[in-house]
Amino acid sequence: MKRIFVSGTGTGIGKTLVSAVLAEALEADYWKPVQAGYDNGTDSEWVAGVITNGHKRIQPETYKLKLPASPHIAAREEGIRIDLEKIAAQVPDNNRNLIIEGAGGLLVPLNEDQFMPDLAKRLEASLVLVSLNTLGSINHSLLTARVCRQENIPVLGWIFNGSYLHYEEEIVRWSGYSRIASIPYAANPDSVFIQQQAEKIRRLALFG
């Protein structure tokens, strides 16, 4: 069983889209342990609606927080503290691949002294890093890569999202992490789009 933790350079970069593509490609379970904000639906609900491989299993959130804010603040508003051991105890007890989606960027705090890298390490997961092709992505991507090295987190590589500019080769070279795939911009990605992108990744056989 492979545990792949999808994180990256920030909020709104396409982590949920990438998670859906990976879950489709690997016929994996999808799990977002911490959801902060759900007025427009949860990420789990969206992923459930676009995966079509027939093997999908959407695992329930460990923490489903109302406020769309950093998880440590959203949890504080509800009088709770996010506990990594509670999350780890809810890892699905099966032999299936698992796609775990983080919240926000890599250094988002979960509580007063633990961050997303702490969760990835506690779950014994390897990272897939998402970078949105936009102005500023070189800086954000290289800072993210530096944190991964400092934290000794295994990184499988980058998935680039969108097509604003062609920073990908530079980010790959300067970060030292390979490119897994590039996903083109789609205004309203649907199940057909997810299938198309999943097939590209499946053909690469990078996760065999």
Side-chain angles (χ1 to χ4, degrees):
M1 179 188 75
K2 294 178 176 60
R3 295 179 186 172
I4 297 174
F5 194 102
V6 178
S7 189
T9 60
T11 299
I13 59 170
K15 293 189 305 298
T16 305
L17 172 67
V18 167
S19 296
V21 170
L22 290 174
E24 180 80 23
L26 302 177
E27 297 186 349
D29 290 7
Y30 167 86
W31 184 34
K32 182 155 186 171
V34 180
Q35 171 78 49
Y38 51 85
D39 284 349
N40 297 317
T42 67
D43 292 332
S44 296
E45 291 168 345
W46 186 83
V47 171
V50 296
I51 295 179
T52 60
N53 63 35
H55 300 275
K56 68 181 179 185
R57 297 183 187 177
I58 309 299
Q59 303 296 336
E61 300 90 344
T62 306
Y63 293 96
K64 189 175 176 182
L65 308 166
K66 184 171 180 58
L67 184 67
S70 177
H72 77 296
I73 293 175
R76 185 190 302 157
E77 286 292 308
E78 298 186 24
I80 60 177
R81 182 180 189 274
I82 293 174
D83 182 351
L84 269 60
E85 294 306 314
K86 181 178 179 180
I87 295 174
Q90 294 190 4
V91 172
D93 185 17
N94 58 37
N95 212 20
R96 293 168 52 82
N97 293 327
L98 179 64
I99 306 301
I100 306 160
E101 183 185 346
L106 185 64
L107 278 185
V108 161
L110 291 163
N111 52 46
E112 293 78 8
D113 36 41
Q114 291 176 308
F115 297 77
M116 283 295 161
D118 298 302
L119 179 57
K121 288 190 282 189
R122 179 63 187 85
L123 298 179
E124 299 179 348
S126 298
L127 258 64
V128 164
L129 297 173
V130 180
S131 178
L132 179 65
N133 278 324
T134 187
L135 190 63
S137 65
I138 293 177
N139 177 63
H140 297 156
S141 299
L142 296 182
L143 287 173
T144 298
R146 183 168 295 186
V147 170
C148 290
R149 294 194 186 283
Q150 291 173 342
E151 295 286 338
N152 294 314
I153 305 172
V155 174
L156 297 171
W158 294 99
I159 294 184
F160 295 97
N161 184 33
S163 53
Y164 169 67
L165 284 173
H166 302 288
Y167 296 149
E168 299 180 12
E169 294 299 333
E170 287 90 345
I171 290 171
V172 166
R173 184 171 73 251
W174 289 328
S175 70
Y177 297 135
S178 63
R179 172 171 46 195
I180 297 169
S182 298
I183 296 177
Y185 171 77
N188 296 293
D190 57 12
S191 59
V192 173
F193 181 81
I194 298 298
Q195 289 178 55
Q196 291 170 343
Q197 303 311 310
E199 183 56 33
K200 294 178 185 177
I201 289 177
R202 196 179 291 118
R203 288 200 302 266
L204 296 173
L206 295 174
F207 303 101

